[in-house]
Every structure is written in C-alpha cells, then in structure tokens.
Amino acid sequence: MTAEELYNRLKTIQPGAVLCTYSMEKVEQMLPIINEINELKKERDAVILAHSYVAPEIILGVADYDGDSFKLSQDATKVEAKTIVFSAVRFMGETAKILNPTKDVLIPGPLTGCSLADSITGAEVRALREKYPDHTFVCYINTTADVKANCDVCVTSSNVMKIVSSLENDKIVFVPDGLMGQNLIDEMKKRNIKKEIVLHSGCCYVHETYDSELINFFRSQNPGLKVVSHPECHPGVALLSDYVGSTGQMVTYIKDQPEGTPFLLLTECGLNARMQYEFPNKRFIGSCSMCKYMKSNSLENILETLRHPEAAQHVELDEATRVAAKKCIDAMFYYAAK
Ligand code: 13P
Ligand code: SF4
C-alpha cells in the first residue's frame, strides 16, 4: 500500500463529524432556523442562556448569554425579559427559576439530567444532616433545587476552593461530587488549610473517564503540551494537569498562553469546539467526550420550545423549596464576592 492509498482511505474520517463539522450547506440549512429563533425571541420577550458545552451554532447563532455555570447564574439575575430559555440541563434551569420566580424558565433539550445532579436527593441530604449535625453542608451547583434547599451554601467549580476555605466552620459535608471533593481536600492540604471534609460518592460520567495514562500518552506525542482539566476529573488527572479550573477559568488560562501552544482539554468537547473558533492560532488536540444531556440541546428543539413549549419544559418549583434553595445560592454569591 502506498502512502497515497492509505491517505485516501483515512482522509474522510472526521472525529465528532456528526455534531461538529460544518459545511456551507449545513450552515445554510441552519440559518432560517437561527433567524426564526431570533425573531421569536423578540415576539415572546425571551432571552437564551447557553452553557459552553452546547453545540457551537447555539452559542454563536442564538444565545444572549453564554459561559460557565457561575457566570450563567449571575447572568440569570440580570435578565429583564419575561422568558428565559436555558439551553443546558435542568439544574441550571432550576437555578435561573430560583433566582427569577416570576419569569417563565424553559428547558429545550429532551435529556435534562446530569449524572452529578441525579446522584443525590434532598431526602438523602436530610439523612446526612442527622448524621452530621455540627457540619456546614456545601453543595455543588450541579444539584437539584431540593438538594440546594437542604444545604447551607452552594459552590461552582470556579469558586469551590475560595468558598469552602472561607467558611467559619471547619467541619464540612460536600455533596455530591466525590472527585471534586477529593481535589478540594488535596488543594487545601497543599495550602495548609485545615478542614474536615466528608464526601459523597457522586461523579460526572464524562469527566471520570480521563486518567493519567491518557495524559502521559498525549504528552509523549506532543512536546510543549498544556493539559487543562476540570475539577470534576480524578485527582490523578488534576495532579498531572498544568491548569485545573471551571470551563470559564480554562478559557482565561488558554487566552493567556502563546500562539501555537498545543492544549489537551479534559472536559466536555463543546469547550474544545468553542476554543477552536475563539483561538484559531492555538492548537487543540484530542478529547472528544460528549455529555449526552448538554448535547440534547439543538436549534430545532429551541425553536419548538419557543413556538409551543410543552408542560414538562417549564421549570416549576414548590415555593418553600425555591426560597430555601435561594438562601443557599445567595450564600454562594455572598462568599464569592468576599
Ligand atoms: P462549569 O461550572 O465549569 O461550567 O461546569 C459545569 C459542568 O457541568 C461541568 O461538567
Ligand atoms: Fe453533568 Fe457531567 Fe454533563 Fe456536566 S458534563 S452536565 S457534570 S453529566
């Protein structure tokens, strides 16, 4: 076989082609949907919030606000429109509803779960509170409103370290992400901050797949590689990474690195796609791990949701739960601003 023959067999392979390869024809098909969504937003007095993990055409074509979960929860407090379409997953839509009870919050994707948010219930937190009555209960934002309603303070991946280290109580229960919790404990040890932290065993099914062997392999193939990972990854991954942070913090880190730098992003592939169009002079290799929940958002289901929202797409919360969950989120805003 010649190199040319082999190349001719290989050249049509495009990793991630189903979702993230764009031809002019595909874009021309998208444009009428994008235009109709943007028209309907005006008619319905709606804005769209989109997480960085959703498909690029949603972020570039129709989103009014985009970013990581902390930024989006702050953005949700600034919205004046009557309706919020939250292109992400259910717990993010719930956060927007907790902060904006009079607004109609809609979730377009059919798969609205999250393996972390689904790993613990409010009833389980109440049982833990009986077991640990002297502890401060900290929950990751990737939790249901019911879990937040039973916790003292919420955190995101961008502020977990800052908030937990500034809590007055040294006894903490952290739910639900056991891997993020272990990363937190390791980082506290490094900084000589003494807290006793009880963990739960939840994990993100996307981030838990990365390991040190994968990093070592990519490093051996790519001199100068910068490994950038999310704190939902295993501690062994965090240890070998050049930078660990929320999706928003990763963007800032990448922006500040010189042109030509190769990056391995250990997070959902939506961020990889986003970085490729935001920083065309940097090199992003590998890792296409997809979150089926985030990727169940599409232009088509956003359009349908704006046209005829189904009952299940409206986020509805019981008022007592909402008020208690808001206290937990407000505590996050308070500690994050300190
Ligand atoms: P960020 O807070 O970094 O946006 O993370 C949210 C998330 O779901 C990561 O998997
Ligand atoms: Fe949840 Fe993981 Fe998907 Fe983030 S990537 S929304 S943590 S399942």
Side-chain angles (χ1 to χ4, degrees):
M1 184 184 272
T2 64
E4 196 183 4
E5 281 165 342
L6 181 59
Y7 174 65
N8 282 336
R9 297 301 305 277
L10 295 174
K11 70 181 180 191
T12 52
I13 299 172
Q14 293 171 317
V18 180
L19 286 165
C20 283
T21 300
Y22 296 90
S23 61
M24 194 59 197
E25 194 191 356
K26 188 170 168 184
V27 172
E28 278 169 352
Q29 283 165 5
M30 283 172 182
L31 208 59
I33 311 177
I34 289 175
N35 291 339
E36 194 174 345
I37 292 173
N38 287 328
E39 276 309 305
L40 272 175
K41 281 198 309 194
K42 284 185 230 151
E43 270 175 42
R44 304 274 150 94
D45 190 21
V47 292
I48 297 180
L49 273 63
H51 190 270
S52 287
Y53 290 164
V54 301
E57 61 270 24
I58 297 177
I59 296 174
L60 292 174
V62 300
D64 300 284
Y65 300 89
D66 58 71
D68 69 12
S69 50
F70 184 63
K71 177 181 176 291
L72 290 172
S73 57
Q74 285 179 316
D75 291 342
T77 65
K78 297 176 198 148
V79 170
E80 283 178 7
K82 191 163 104 249
T83 300
I84 295 174
V85 178
F86 213 132
S87 180
V89 288
R90 186 174 174 87
F91 77 80
M92 293 194 189
E94 283 190 351
T95 303
K97 184 71 179 179
I98 291 164
L99 297 167
N100 295 281
T102 59
K103 297 193 193 300
D104 190 12
V105 178
L106 296 164
I107 321 177
L111 303 180
T112 61
C114 159
S115 53
L116 281 168
D118 298 339
S119 72
I120 190 163
T121 63
E124 285 169 312
V125 176
R126 284 193 291 277
L128 281 171
R129 288 208 88 121
E130 282 184 18
K131 196 169 166 195
Y132 299 104
D134 301 332
H135 287 57
T136 295
F137 274 63
V138 180
C139 62
Y140 187 27
I141 198 161
N142 294 38
T143 43
T144 61
D146 196 20
V147 166
K148 290 184 179 80
N150 284 285
C151 288
D152 303 302
V153 55
C154 176
V155 297
T156 71
S157 47
S158 65
N159 57 32
V160 54
M161 183 67 202
K162 177 176 180 183
I163 292 180
V164 176
S165 49
S166 57
L167 290 174
E168 298 77 16
N169 193 350
D170 287 343
K171 292 180 173 179
I172 312 285
V173 173
F174 179 69
V175 297
D177 192 341
L179 297 179
M180 179 179 283
Q182 193 52 54
N183 284 322
L184 175 68
I185 291 172
D186 294 349
E187 192 57 35
M188 294 240 168
K189 238 183 231 153
K190 267 196 241 160
R191 299 187 195 187
N192 208 18
I193 302 170
K194 291 193 174 58
K195 298 265 180 207
E196 177 199 310
I197 304 179
V198 177
L199 300 179
H200 182 66
S201 59
C203 67
C204 163
Y205 87 107
V206 177
H207 291 86
E208 72 158 346
T209 58
Y210 309 124
D211 62 17
S212 51
E213 284 174 355
L214 176 106
I215 296 179
N216 291 336
F217 170 74
F218 275 106
R219 277 205 201 283
S220 71
Q221 304 288 309
N222 298 276
L225 185 70
K226 295 281 183 202
V227 178
V228 182
S229 68
H230 196 276
E232 289 171 16
C233 295
H234 281 278
V237 168
L239 193 69
L240 289 180
S241 296
D242 296 282
Y243 184 76
V244 182
S246 73
T247 52
Q249 290 168 327
M250 287 179 180
V251 177
T252 308
Y253 173 81
I254 290 164
K255 193 165 90 197
D256 293 342
Q257 300 302 311
E259 285 192 6
T261 305
F263 295 95
L264 175 64
L265 298 194
L266 298 180
T267 192
E268 209 273 349
C269 56
L271 194 73
N272 225 4
R274 182 173 186 161
M275 294 300 88
Q276 285 172 354
Y277 67 73
E278 284 197 7
F279 304 111
N281 296 328
K282 290 174 179 165
R283 201 152 64 81
F284 299 93
I285 51 151
S287 171
C288 189
S289 308
M290 190 180 88
C291 171
K292 63 182 173 186
Y293 307 109
M294 288 286 189
K295 288 295 190 286
S296 79
N297 287 269
S298 66
L299 288 175
E300 288 77 5
N301 57 40
I302 291 174
L303 178 59
E304 260 327 288
T305 305
L306 278 166
R307 276 186 186 148
H308 317 286
E310 287 173 22
Q313 289 176 315
H314 295 272
V315 179
E316 301 291 353
L317 296 171
D318 148 271
E319 185 58 8
T321 306
R322 187 195 70 78
V323 171
K326 184 168 183 300
K327 264 175 84 180
C328 180
I329 296 173
D330 285 343
M332 168 177 78
F333 290 138
Y334 168 79
Y335 282 106
K338 250 178 136 185

